[in-house]
Amino acid sequence: MLGRVRKSWSTWRRRAARREERPVQETRRTQGAERRPHNLFEAAAAYVAACVEDDQERIEEAAGWVEPGALVFGVNELACRALIALARERDESPRVVARSLLGLPAA
């Protein structure tokens, strides 16, 4: 029992040490400003906007703000919210709008 506690504690300490050792990356917009961590929705918004503009530097910057799994969740959430907003604006169902955006025939 004590061995498992010791192993868990050492694993936690190694992860905490790795987090502290990571260099803080300054971005174009935050150089010299007070730094605060980005949340996954900020990262998703910046990532998607950079993809639309085909700006590889900004894509890589936004992808580095959060873990890859969190970024995927954020992009998915952004897509869902955008689809809902567009469907309300068009007064159509989200399914119809999604198929329209993808160029698929109406179901």
Side-chain angles (χ1 to χ4, degrees):
M1 175 76 175
L2 189 56
R4 285 195 286 186
V5 171
R6 239 187 246 132
K7 184 178 178 182
S8 295
W9 174 251
S10 65
T11 302
W12 178 82
R13 285 181 50 209
R14 277 193 304 262
R15 287 182 185 160
R18 272 188 263 147
R19 278 189 226 114
E20 290 175 5
E21 290 174 2
R22 286 188 211 162
V24 177
Q25 297 177 356
E26 291 199 56
T27 64
R28 291 179 280 191
R29 291 177 287 289
T30 60
Q31 288 176 340
E34 183 180 319
R35 301 230 356 125
R36 66 173 181 77
H38 297 278
N39 71 36
L40 66 102
F41 297 116
E42 287 174 324
Y47 180 84
V48 171
C51 287
V52 169
E53 296 167 356
D54 199 28
D55 185 343
Q56 191 62 37
E57 183 180 324
R58 284 183 35 222
I59 290 170
E60 291 170 4
E61 178 185 335
W65 290 350
V66 294
E67 297 295 323
L71 183 61
V72 169
F73 173 79
V75 169
N76 183 50
E77 186 67 23
L78 178 62
C80 290
R81 291 179 186 194
L83 185 62
I84 290 168
L86 191 55
R88 286 179 181 160
E89 185 178 290
R90 292 182 180 183
D91 197 29
E92 296 178 338
S93 76
R95 177 178 293 180
V96 170
V97 173
R99 293 184 67 84
S100 166
L101 289 172
L102 294 171
L104 299 172

